[in-house]
Amino acid sequence: MALQIGIVGLPNVGKSTLFNGLTQAGAAVAAYPFTTIDSNRGVAVVPDPRLEALALMVGPEQVTPATVEFVDIAGLVRGAHRGEGLGNQFLGHIRNVDAIALVCRCFSNPDVAHVEGSVDPPRDLEVLDLELILADLDVAERRLDKVRSAAKARPRDYAAELEALEELRARLQAGVGARLPRLYWVAGGATGAALVQEMCLLTAKKRVYVANVGEEDLPTGGPLAQEVAHVAAAEGAPCVVLCAQLEADLSEWPPDEAAAYRADVGLEHSGLEVLARAGYEVLDLITFFTITGGREVRAWAIQRGAKAAQAAGKVHSQMERGFIRAEVLHFEQLAEVGSWQAARERGILRIEGRDGPIQDGDVCLFRFSP
């Protein structure tokens, strides 16, 4: 399954423009609020030069990159949790994403109205944060009502869950999400942590902050983007600076011309590369590769620290069940010797058992019993 990132922001901050630039999906864009009236979904390839190098080396019939799915929902406004605007209708569409990208407007344009009347990144982020907290509070209170009813008949069975839910509600009522400070359940213990995961709380999800700037402020972003970076740094979250309009425009250009233009404005990578890397960073993901004969070279995303059998399971569940061993070689070593056969002849392949480590950039051949 592709990495999923939900795109969240106030109206007219450039969310759908960014979505189009990342996915070329053609979502509606206009200079007035609530252009997005339904959630938009689009899948984009995660650029990885190592995969391209492997493809050149092997010459396979098919090259399959890792992908990221972006989910763009209607802009949130003050009172969204009460049904103001349209965003509240679609928050459910991002409850199952892996991470949330909070897009903040850091550009001035008199032709594009700001729903709050002025450009003020810290204030805008506070509005978003509050609406996500209140949306989670509504979920927690509804769950609490349900569990209280069930506990009347079997109080002991529901005691731990009730305690955890009451603690969660108190945190949310105090304006503290399930994300920061890092969740520490005094009363609920493991029950509380499991509930947060089960309820797919928005404030528990990892975040990437996106400062959407004008092209003239690239590459550093200017003072408004710095304000977003300060908020992100206080949370230990990554902050990406990009120009959504430029990304949307360049997505229609030939790749070599787009790369040349980015270089002219001081950008080393596309917005998709930067945002995908930030998503991998915040979710602690790494990439490993497989070569299936001469037929396919493929990139896979997996949690850092995953074992060889788990990596095999990403390819196919049967491989994990019947796992025998993994033959592993790091990409750089393979690039140096030129082929898998040459690596085998030199005796530099690593042999890993079920619990053997898989590292970023490893190329794996899994042996298994069907």
Side-chain angles (χ1 to χ4, degrees):
M1 181 178 291
L3 164 68
Q4 285 189 322
I5 297 179
I7 302 177
V8 178
L10 300 182
N12 282 3
V13 299
K15 295 186 301 84
S16 296
T17 301
L18 174 61
F19 174 82
N20 288 337
L22 298 174
T23 67
Q24 301 182 40
V29 177
Y32 52 83
F34 309 124
T35 306
T36 302
I37 58 174
D38 198 358
S39 62
N40 298 308
R41 292 175 178 266
V43 177
V45 167
V46 177
D48 194 323
R50 298 172 299 184
L51 182 67
E52 297 171 11
L54 283 173
L56 289 173
M57 192 185 311
V58 176
E61 298 173 7
Q62 182 176 346
V63 179
T64 306
T67 58
V68 55
E69 180 179 6
F70 293 99
V71 183
D72 173 35
I73 65 170
L76 299 179
V77 296
R78 290 184 189 272
H81 67 285
R82 297 191 302 269
E84 297 290 338
L86 296 171
N88 188 54
Q89 300 176 33
F90 305 113
L91 283 175
H93 294 177
I94 62 168
R95 285 202 176 272
N96 292 316
V97 299
D98 300 298
I100 291 176
L102 292 175
V103 181
C104 192
R105 178 171 168 174
C106 296
F107 65 89
S108 297
N109 186 338
D111 296 326
V112 180
H114 193 293
V115 71
E116 290 284 329
S118 62
V119 177
D120 185 337
R123 178 208 58 209
D124 293 351
L125 291 173
E126 286 181 5
V127 172
L128 290 176
D129 210 28
L130 178 60
E131 293 306 320
L132 295 179
I133 287 172
L134 292 173
D136 278 353
L137 179 60
D138 180 59
V139 171
E141 288 181 332
R142 283 189 278 115
R143 177 65 174 261
L144 186 56
D145 288 342
K146 180 179 178 180
V147 173
R148 278 176 176 164
S149 296
K152 291 178 181 178
R154 294 182 295 162
R156 290 187 179 180
D157 292 347
Y158 290 96
E161 186 173 351
L162 275 174
E163 198 171 17
L165 284 168
E166 288 170 351
E167 181 180 345
L168 172 61
R169 183 181 64 172
R171 291 170 62 90
L172 293 168
Q173 286 176 332
V176 180
R179 185 189 76 264
L180 285 173
R182 189 171 293 277
L183 192 61
Y184 176 69
W185 291 92
V186 177
T191 301
L195 278 172
V196 166
Q197 184 173 7
E198 180 185 338
M199 292 189 291
C200 300
L201 297 182
L202 297 169
T203 58
K205 295 188 182 298
K206 299 291 188 178
R207 292 182 172 185
V208 176
Y209 286 84
V210 179
N212 182 18
V213 305
E215 184 177 341
E216 66 278 4
D217 289 321
L218 291 172
T220 58
L224 292 177
Q226 284 301 309
E227 293 180 354
V228 178
H230 291 154
V231 174
E235 297 182 7
C239 179
V240 171
V241 176
L242 51 76
C243 174
Q245 187 59 60
L246 178 63
E247 294 299 327
D249 292 342
L250 293 184
S251 69
E252 300 178 359
W253 289 25
D256 55 341
E257 294 181 19
Y261 190 89
R262 285 193 180 95
D264 286 343
V265 296
L267 299 176
E268 296 182 13
H269 306 285
S270 70
L272 173 58
E273 287 181 271
V274 174
L275 188 52
R277 288 181 181 182
Y280 272 53
E281 173 192 340
V282 76
L283 293 168
D284 206 17
L285 299 176
I286 62 171
T287 301
F288 73 93
F289 305 93
T290 55
I291 300 174
T292 307
R295 300 188 303 276
E296 182 185 33
V297 172
R298 183 163 183 168
W300 305 84
I302 198 168
Q303 200 76 30
R304 188 180 304 278
K307 307 303 182 184
Q310 294 172 309
K314 289 286 290 186
V315 179
H316 197 287
S317 59
Q318 188 175 354
M319 286 188 176
E320 184 171 7
R321 288 194 301 269
F323 183 90
I324 298 174
R325 68 179 183 275
E327 298 176 9
V328 184
L329 186 66
H330 195 271
F331 163 77
E332 292 183 357
Q333 292 177 293
L334 182 56
E336 182 178 344
V337 299
S339 72
W340 194 264
Q341 183 60 35
R344 189 185 299 280
E345 292 171 355
R346 295 191 185 189
I348 60 175
L349 294 177
R350 291 182 0 238
I351 305 300
E352 301 289 0
R354 293 189 67 88
D355 296 328
I358 297 298
Q359 302 168 0
D360 183 57
D362 277 347
V363 184
C364 303
L365 173 62
F366 299 110
R367 303 291 185 183
F368 68 102
S369 176

